[in-house]
Amino acid sequence: MALPPITENQKLEEAARAGWLYYVAGKTQDEIAKQLNTSRQSAQRLVAMAVSKGLIKVRLEHPIKRCMELADLLQQRFGLLKCEVVPSVPGDADSVVGLSQAGAAEIERYAKSRQAKTIAFGTGRALRACTNELTNMQCPQHRIVSLVGNIAQDGSASRYDVAIHVAERLGARHFPMPVPVIASTQADKAQWQQLTHVKNVHELALQADVYFVGVGDLGINSPLHLDGFITQHELAALEAMGATGEVISWIFDSNGKLVQSDINQRVTSVALSTRRDKHVIGIAAGQNKVPAIAGAIESGMINSLITNESTAEALLHL
């Protein structure tokens, strides 16, 4: 497998991250290697590079210092397995610039493994933006699996089916979820999920090595409403129930509890149960998404987070 070249800026950023973890956060080289998904020897070289390049003095001389401090605070506050915070775009706190590059870099860390991996994806605009930043690779050993259906109520394909775009960029096998995102009835959902190929995708998704998902808010401009998956009447009913956000179309309240709605009975997505053995990485940012992100963490549907500075600060002030 041909791996893409690593730029000097990428090397420096990794070195800065390793240096901060070692000298400021007090992590061991084994812990750094695990967090950066690399070998202990590579972690040691990155720490050494941070010193040799002058990134480490009395304090870390790198613009992502504040981001790493926020990430560490979020990780401790919410008990996250992993957290990355990117700089916010001045004047546009909701921008996915920076978020998409960080998400793509995290996806590529897994893609670079020569050992076969099963990588599962949800959907959403931020995740879709990540796919545009991925380097073209040839990784036929990996399997890319969809966690969520790719068909709207009218039969049209979802514009934000992330898994297929990731598979194309990585040259990997793709396992789509060929069902409606939200079935018309509970009976229809049961019929869809009895299909052999749908059951196979669900089983494969539950065995994934890592999960990448978006976090959606609820409201008139929410993706579920704008993309035609729920009506305005259903949206109003959900808000009356205290619904705050959604992850792969599972709708929850601010306490992270799934709302008792007929919609949650018709969602065909894989159920993301609370787990600590594998990373479920939420990629999301924006002031309107702060309650949804907090609810997603509380629900246990995500245990890792990639977000931006302004969102991180808002989460810490909840």
Side-chain angles (χ1 to χ4, degrees):
M1 179 185 69
L3 298 179
I6 300 175
T7 67
E8 185 64 23
N9 283 339
Q10 288 172 321
K11 288 181 182 177
L12 285 175
E13 182 167 320
E14 288 288 272
R17 198 174 303 281
W20 187 88
L21 288 169
Y22 186 77
Y23 288 102
V24 181
K27 304 294 184 183
T28 67
Q29 290 179 356
D30 286 330
E31 289 172 327
I32 295 169
K34 184 176 181 181
Q35 186 153 339
L36 298 183
N37 197 29
T38 189
S39 67
R40 187 181 188 280
Q41 291 76 14
S42 293
Q44 188 176 17
R45 286 194 294 269
L46 287 169
V47 172
M49 181 186 290
V51 176
S52 66
K53 294 292 186 179
L55 302 180
I56 297 293
K57 296 178 183 176
V58 176
R59 60 186 183 274
L60 180 61
E61 297 291 347
H62 193 279
I64 64 170
K65 174 180 180 287
R66 176 58 179 161
C67 293
M68 289 189 286
E69 289 174 340
L70 287 169
D72 193 52
L73 289 170
L74 281 174
Q75 194 166 349
Q76 293 181 45
R77 165 84 177 270
F78 293 101
L80 296 168
L81 294 183
K82 185 172 188 176
C83 184
E84 181 169 358
V85 175
V86 302
S88 297
V89 175
D92 187 3
D94 297 338
S95 173
V96 297
V97 173
L99 203 67
S100 55
Q101 288 85 351
E106 189 65 23
I107 294 168
E108 289 180 4
R109 285 191 180 100
Y110 286 91
K112 289 173 184 175
S113 171
R114 287 176 169 79
Q115 182 180 357
K117 298 285 186 184
T118 299
I119 309 174
F121 287 90
T123 189
R125 289 159 175 76
L127 266 182
R128 180 67 180 86
C130 292
T131 67
N132 295 330
E133 302 296 330
L134 288 173
T135 304
N136 288 320
M137 304 166 70
Q138 287 301 314
C139 308
Q141 75 275 27
H142 298 325
R143 297 181 293 189
I144 308 300
V145 186
S146 293
L147 294 167
V148 63
N150 60 3
I151 303 173
Q153 294 281 13
D154 61 1
S156 61
S158 170
R159 291 176 295 165
Y160 300 101
D161 184 9
V162 170
I164 187 171
H165 296 287
V166 173
E168 287 174 352
R169 288 294 183 112
L170 301 186
R173 296 176 67 193
H174 172 221
F175 295 80
M177 187 76 73
V179 296
V181 175
I182 301 173
S184 299
T185 65
Q186 292 183 45
D188 283 352
K189 172 182 174 177
Q191 286 185 326
W192 281 110
Q193 294 190 330
Q194 285 304 308
L195 296 174
T196 301
H197 62 287
V198 176
K199 290 166 70 173
N200 289 343
V201 173
H202 267 264
E203 290 171 5
L204 191 59
L206 292 174
Q207 299 166 13
D209 296 288
V210 63
Y211 302 81
F212 291 90
V213 298
V215 179
D217 59 322
L218 293 180
I220 198 68
N221 294 317
S222 64
L224 280 180
H225 176 60
L226 289 178
D227 297 339
F229 297 120
I230 59 175
T231 65
Q232 190 165 348
H233 175 74
E234 289 172 326
L235 182 63
L238 288 169
E239 290 179 334
M241 295 177 188
T244 298
E246 56 87 16
V247 172
I248 57 172
S249 301
W250 292 104
I251 301 170
F252 50 83
D253 62 20
S254 58
N255 296 316
K257 303 293 185 184
L258 292 179
V259 298
Q260 297 301 308
S261 165
D262 172 64
I263 293 175
N264 273 341
Q265 301 298 318
R266 295 185 281 117
V267 171
T268 61
S269 307
V270 174
L272 289 176
S273 57
T274 303
R275 61 191 310 167
R276 304 293 291 179
D277 58 326
K278 296 177 183 177
H279 287 96
V280 185
I281 302 170
I283 302 177
Q287 294 302 305
N288 59 320
K289 287 193 176 185
V290 170
I293 295 169
I297 296 170
E298 189 69 24
S299 73
M301 281 193 276
I302 67 172
N303 57 32
S304 301
L305 178 66
I306 298 176
T307 191
N308 65 18
E309 281 180 279
S310 59
T311 307
E313 289 170 344
L315 283 167
L316 290 169
H317 281 93
L318 283 178

